[in-house]
Amino acid sequence: MKHFLSIAFLFILAGSFAQYPLILTQREQAKIIDELLEDRLRTVLPTIMRREGFDMWVIISREYNEDPIIRTMLPATWFAARRTTMLVIYDKGKDAKGTDLGLEYLAVARYDVGKMFRRAWDPDHQPDQWGQLAKIVEERNPKKIGINKAPSWGHADGLTANDYDQFLTALPKRLYTHVASAEKLGVAWLETRTEREIIIYQQICRIAHEIIAEGFSDKVIQPGITTTEDVVWWYREEIKRLKLDTWFQPSVSIQRQEPETITAKRPQPLVILPGDLLHVDFGITYLRLNTDTQQHAYILKPGETEVPEYLRNAFKRGNKLQDILTSNFKEGKTGNQILADTRKQAIDGGITPSIYTHPIGFHGHAAGTTIGMWDMQGGVPFTGDYPMHFNTAYSIELNASVYVIEWKKEVRIQLEEDGYFDEKGFRYIDGRQNDIIIIPKPDPINR
């Protein structure tokens, strides 16, 4: 009971002292989400549809079996598709004078879908929803119709077998050959970030960084009492307290100056002790965008005022590996090419690398250029062959293994920070960790 009360008291203190950047109310969030969506539909979609060669995109989804892409096109107050929701996006091309007529946004549904997709079906006059969809398609006679049927990315494979069959049954046979997988179009929609999104993303990443720092402090961690699971659940509770969401369970782990076999035999979850090197893997979801961050902290031993030099030097290896990886970002270069070049440069420089970097955005493990997986250091089929585009975001996730003589074993510096790539190059959205967090922070007066 005494232990429980101590932890509870620490959690209460942590909640009362935390200072975070502004987090919008639910109503304000909904307004921003809808504004961002309208901006994306007007600015991103025309460009990528023409780049990928589609003049029509048909997205079909049923309630509670949502296509991953349709979820990104629904207004903020819709938490799911309604009954069967069909969205049709048609590129009207140019008129005889060469004026761009833009895109047409239609909802073959009982309601408008947000501000952009206007209702294009009246069930009282045409009870057959599939028949109405076919009529809309036939009237516009598109050259290439995209559907969300994809072999490589689950994000773009949301059309169910039943809905695919229904669509083809309703469609005139002469248009069958016009239907094609919209996989690359779907990936482009998901991976491309707008100027306004990336401005807002910095605030989202800042909030995530502040929560991590709060959890990795003596407001939450009391060495000798607090366990790794205590910290994990503090993070979960803090996310909920702030009215945010997460897309995965946080994790907190320990590396310490003892053989791994001994650490593994200790009662789980581990009690955090002085001299421990902590690691957290943490992410939040806010305004439909996700973060994914991994950082390290060190628990000072009595008499210590800073992280031991050998751990600081090991950490620098991790930062160096980040630098090598991001220096290889180039438009048109595939993830597998970036992976191979980075590994060679790192190994030639005496670093033992493991790289598993992924896109980030509407999904945590998002669609786009994949740069390695922890168990695929020789390259990732299909998703690793996808070329890098500008205006895309990535979680720079990797680790560098460093043999630490003082510990007589390898220490893994496991880092992950969210970054953005555009015509100016790569940058971290809200900076990166350059120094190991110290717990507790030394008193500057007594140093």
Side-chain angles (χ1 to χ4, degrees):
M1 175 61 74
K2 188 176 181 180
H3 167 75
F4 174 79
L5 290 173
S6 298
I7 296 298
F9 179 66
L10 286 169
F11 283 14
I12 292 168
L13 278 179
S16 63
F17 281 96
Q19 296 292 323
Y20 297 118
L22 174 68
I23 297 173
L24 301 175
T25 65
Q26 295 294 300
R27 184 179 184 179
E28 291 167 336
Q29 288 183 45
K31 179 176 179 291
I32 297 302
I33 287 169
D34 288 344
E35 288 177 0
L36 291 174
L37 174 57
E38 183 174 348
D39 180 47
R40 288 180 58 80
L41 291 169
R42 292 190 187 282
T43 62
V44 173
L45 201 48
T47 300
I48 61 174
M49 283 186 70
R50 290 164 187 173
R51 185 184 85 192
E52 300 302 332
F54 289 92
D55 55 344
M56 181 174 281
W57 192 7
V58 177
I59 304 169
I60 304 167
S61 189
R62 280 181 289 169
E63 192 169 5
Y64 302 121
N65 191 28
E66 276 72 38
D67 178 313
I69 287 174
I70 206 171
R71 291 177 68 89
T72 70
M73 294 186 174
L74 297 177
T77 54
W78 285 41
F79 296 95
R82 295 181 179 176
R83 301 188 186 180
T84 297
T85 299
M86 303 172 178
L87 303 182
V88 178
I89 303 154
Y90 175 61
D91 187 347
K92 294 184 287 188
K94 298 179 180 180
D95 64 15
K97 295 181 180 180
T99 303
D100 191 341
L101 300 175
L103 302 187
E104 183 180 22
Y105 306 88
L106 302 172
V108 189
R110 290 177 174 271
Y111 323 92
D112 290 344
V113 178
K115 293 181 180 179
M116 295 292 287
F117 292 94
R118 295 303 181 190
R119 176 189 175 195
W121 175 50
D122 183 353
D124 292 333
H125 290 88
Q126 165 58 294
D128 183 1
Q129 186 179 15
W130 291 98
Q132 178 64 11
L133 174 61
K135 182 179 180 223
I136 288 170
V137 174
E138 188 172 17
E139 287 174 349
R140 285 155 184 78
N141 195 29
K143 297 181 181 66
K144 191 174 181 181
I145 307 164
I147 58 170
N148 292 346
K149 197 167 180 290
S152 301
W153 276 277
H155 314 76
D157 194 35
L159 184 64
T160 66
N162 176 74
D163 288 344
Y164 177 64
D165 291 342
Q166 292 263 50
F167 180 55
L168 289 186
T169 299
L171 202 65
K173 289 186 179 180
R174 69 176 183 82
L175 291 175
Y176 280 14
T177 57
H178 296 220
V179 178
S181 167
E183 181 169 40
K184 289 186 178 180
L185 173 57
V187 171
W189 166 258
L190 295 173
E191 75 170 348
T192 305
R193 304 270 67 83
T194 64
E195 182 179 354
R196 190 177 181 195
E197 279 179 324
I198 208 64
I199 292 170
I200 291 171
Y201 225 146
Q202 182 171 357
Q203 184 84 346
I204 300 171
C205 290
R206 177 71 52 81
I207 293 167
H209 282 155
E210 292 294 334
I211 298 172
I212 289 173
E214 191 74 15
F216 270 0
S217 75
D218 56 4
K219 295 174 185 177
V220 174
I221 296 175
Q222 173 61 60
I225 296 176
T226 311
T227 71
T228 51
E229 279 294 285
D230 290 334
V231 183
V232 165
W233 285 103
W234 181 87
Y235 280 127
R236 283 294 305 275
E237 292 292 344
E238 188 69 352
I239 289 168
K240 283 298 180 186
R241 186 184 74 83
L242 295 170
K243 299 180 181 178
L244 301 169
D245 293 305
T246 184
W247 60 279
F248 69 95
Q249 175 79 349
S251 67
V252 175
S253 58
I254 291 173
Q255 296 179 82
R256 60 174 48 144
Q257 190 177 2
E258 66 182 15
E260 296 295 337
T261 52
I262 293 177
T263 303
K265 290 179 180 178
R266 292 188 182 277
Q268 300 292 327
L270 288 174
V271 173
I272 297 169
L273 300 173
D276 283 348
L277 179 65
L278 302 185
H279 167 263
V280 64
D281 192 354
F282 176 86
I284 61 171
T285 303
Y286 180 45
L287 298 173
R288 287 190 176 170
L289 294 170
N290 294 279
T291 71
D292 198 358
T293 312
Q294 295 181 44
Q295 294 191 352
H296 285 286
Y298 177 76
I299 308 297
L300 293 175
K301 294 179 180 178
E304 288 184 327
T305 59
E306 61 182 6
V307 178
E309 184 178 12
Y310 54 83
L311 289 181
R312 297 202 307 271
N313 289 337
F315 191 85
K316 289 177 182 177
R317 292 286 193 94
N319 281 159
K320 179 61 178 176
L321 182 56
Q322 289 175 320
D323 293 339
I324 294 171
L325 171 60
T326 58
S327 71
N328 280 298
F329 280 25
K330 184 179 180 182
E331 185 191 25
K333 198 171 182 180
T334 69
N336 287 336
Q337 290 170 332
I338 295 170
L339 175 65
D341 290 348
T342 300
R343 283 185 55 81
K344 183 179 186 307
Q345 291 172 33
I347 292 168
D348 288 349
I351 297 173
T352 303
S354 182
I355 298 163
Y356 30 98
T357 286
H358 58 85
I360 189 106
F362 287 129
H363 303 94
H365 292 153
T369 306
T370 301
I371 309 170
M373 291 187 178
W374 70 269
D375 56 346
M376 293 184 184
Q377 291 297 286
V380 182
F382 307 115
T383 59
D385 295 320
Y386 184 75
M388 182 169 279
H389 294 98
F390 289 136
N391 306 319
T392 50
Y394 301 86
S395 285
I396 307 303
E397 185 176 11
L398 46 75
N399 78 67
S401 293
V402 181
Y403 187 81
V404 174
I405 296 173
E406 290 79 0
W407 284 16
K408 297 179 182 179
K409 68 176 185 179
E410 283 196 340
V411 170
R412 294 181 308 283
I413 302 301
Q414 303 167 88
L415 299 175
E416 187 170 17
E417 295 286 0
D418 299 325
Y420 178 64
F421 175 68
D422 63 10
E423 292 86 350
K424 297 177 182 178
F426 174 86
R427 66 177 173 83
Y428 289 102
I429 296 172
D430 184 51
R432 67 172 179 181
Q433 185 181 21
N434 289 305
D435 298 294
I436 298 172
I437 297 168
I438 297 173
I439 306 173
K441 290 184 179 179
D443 183 348
I445 297 175
N446 297 319
R447 287 194 67 176

